[in-house]
C-alpha cells in the first residue's frame, strides 16, 4: 500500500516552526513582492505568499504595477528595494510581460535579497556548496523527503527535466544528500528504462499525465512537480496519479504535494536572510 506525502501538512509545520523562531528571536523581517500586470495565476500566487507572510510574522510590502510598466521602471524599483535596509527579501513574480527581459530583472536583484534563489550568484553558491538562497521548489522537495523519513543517502535518483528553476538545482541538492543522480530531458534515450532504475523519481517535465506506471520501478518514491488544469477544470500533475500510485511506496498528489512547499521554503529563505548578511 502506498503512502501519500502530504505537502500541505508539512508546509504548515515549517511555517509554524518559522513563526515560533521569528517570535522567539524577535526578528523584524520584510518581503517585497513585485507583481507586474494582471495575470490571474500570478495574482493567486502573490495572494498566497502574502497569507504565508502573515502566518510567519513577516511584513509583506506589495508593489503592484501595470502591464505597461517599462523594463527601466522595473529595474529602478528593484534597485531601490536593494538599497532599502528594511527589506530582507525581494520577489519579482514571474512570468513578466513579454517586453521585459526576465533574466535582466533576476540579475538586478541583490544576491543577498534573492529569496527565490534564481540569481546566478545564488546558483553558483549552491553548485560549490557555499551558503546562499536555494530555489524554493527543490528545497521544498528535500524537506518533503526528509520529513517523510526517506533516506536519500545512497539512493538512485532520476530527475526528469533540466530547468534552471527545478531540474538543475534539484540535481545539486540530491548530490549534496549523497544520492546518485541522473538528469533526463527531451534528448534522453530509453527514458523509461532510465526512470525504472530510480528509487526516487522526480518529475518536472511540464506535460500533463505523461508519466504512467511503465516508467516506475515497483516501490519507488515519486515526486510530481507539474501542475496543469484539465478540460474538466480539475488539476493534475506530470504523473498519471491513478495509474502510478499503486506501484509506489510514496507519492505526492497534485494539488497538495509540492506546491505548498514552494511557499513554505520562500518563507524559510526570508527568515534565513538574517544569517546571510
Amino acid at each position: 500500500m502506498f503512502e501519500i506525502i502530504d505537502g500541505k501538512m508539512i508546509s504548515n509545520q515549517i511555517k509554524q516552526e518559522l513563526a515560533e523562531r521569528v517570535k522567539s528571536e524577535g526578528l523584524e523581517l520584510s518581503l517585497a513582492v513585485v507583481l507586474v500586470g494582471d495575470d490571474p495565476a500570478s495574482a493567486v500566487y502573490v495572494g498566497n505568499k502574502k497569507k504565508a507572510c502573515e502566518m510567519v510574522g513577516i511584513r509583506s510590502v506589495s508593489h503592484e504595477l501595470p502591464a505597461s510598466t517599462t523594463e527601466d521602471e522595473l529595474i529602478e524599483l528593484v534597485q531601490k528595494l536593494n538599497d532599502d535596509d528594511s527589506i530582507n527579501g525581494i520577489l519579482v513574480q514571474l512570468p513578466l510581460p513579454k517586453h521585459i527581459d526576465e533574466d535582466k530583472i533576476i540579475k538586478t536583484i541583490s544576491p543577498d535579497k534573492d529569496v527565490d534563489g534564481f540569481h546566478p550568484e545564488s546558483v553558483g553558491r549552491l553548485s560549490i556548496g557555499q551558503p546562499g538562497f536555494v530555489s524554493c521548489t527543490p528545497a521544498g522537495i528535500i524537506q518533503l523527503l526528509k520529513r517523510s523519513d526517506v533516506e536519500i543517502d545512497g539512493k538512485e535518483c532520476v530527475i526528469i527535466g533540466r530547468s534552471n528553476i527545478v531540474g538543475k538545482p534539484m540535481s545539486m541538492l540530491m548530490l549534496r544528500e549523497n544520492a546518485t543522480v541522473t538528469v533526463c530531458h527531451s534528448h534522453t534515450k530509453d527514458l523509461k528504462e532510465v526512470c525504472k532504475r530510480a528509487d526516487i523519481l522526480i518529475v518536472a517535465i511540464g506535460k500533463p499525465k505523461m508519466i504512467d506506471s511503465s516508467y516506475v520501478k515497483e516501490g519507488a518514491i515519486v515526486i510530481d512537480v507539474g501542475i496543469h488544469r484539465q478540460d474538466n477544470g480539475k488539476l493534475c500533475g506530470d504523473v498519471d496519479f491513478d495509474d502510478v500510485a499503486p506501484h509506489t511506496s510514496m507519492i505526492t498528489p497534485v494539488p497538495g504535494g509540492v506546491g505548498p512547499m514552494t511557499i513554505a521554503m520562500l518563507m524559510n529563505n526570508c527568515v534565513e536572510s538574517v544569517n546571510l548578511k
Side-chain angles (χ1 to χ4, degrees), residues 107-182:
K107 286 177 181 171
T108 303
I109 297 169
S110 163
D112 294 328
K113 297 188 179 186
D114 170 39
V115 285
D116 261 333
F118 294 165
H119 192 284
E121 190 171 316
S122 302
V123 177
R125 287 176 182 176
L126 171 62
S127 70
I128 59 173
Q130 288 188 353
F133 293 116
V134 177
S135 188
C136 300
T137 299
I141 290 168
I142 294 291
Q143 286 300 313
L144 278 181
L145 293 168
K146 287 187 169 181
R147 289 170 185 253
S148 300
D149 297 322
V150 173
E151 179 70 44
I152 302 172
D153 195 310
K155 293 288 169 61
E156 182 120 9
C157 173
V158 173
I159 300 162
I160 313 179
R162 54 177 168 180
S163 72
N164 292 336
I165 291 172
V166 180
K168 288 176 188 170
M170 191 76 247
S171 67
M172 288 187 275
L173 286 176
M174 293 302 278
L175 283 171
R176 187 189 279 183
E177 298 296 330
N178 298 318
T180 299
V181 181
T182 303

Side-chain angles (χ1 to χ4, degrees), residues 135 137-138 141 157-174 181-189 191-192 194-195 198 200-207 210-211 215 223-226 228 238-239:
S135 188
T137 299
I141 290 168
C157 173
V158 173
I159 300 162
I160 313 179
R162 54 177 168 180
S163 72
N164 292 336
I165 291 172
V166 180
K168 288 176 188 170
M170 191 76 247
S171 67
M172 288 187 275
L173 286 176
M174 293 302 278
V181 181
T182 303
V183 179
C184 298
H185 44 78
S186 57
H187 293 252
T188 299
K189 290 177 180 164
L191 180 62
K192 282 187 184 181
V194 177
C195 291
I200 301 170
L201 180 63
I202 299 171
V203 186
I205 203 165
K207 292 183 181 175
M210 178 184 155
I211 301 302
Y215 288 81
I223 305 291
D224 188 352
V225 182
H228 314 273
D238 292 349
V239 174

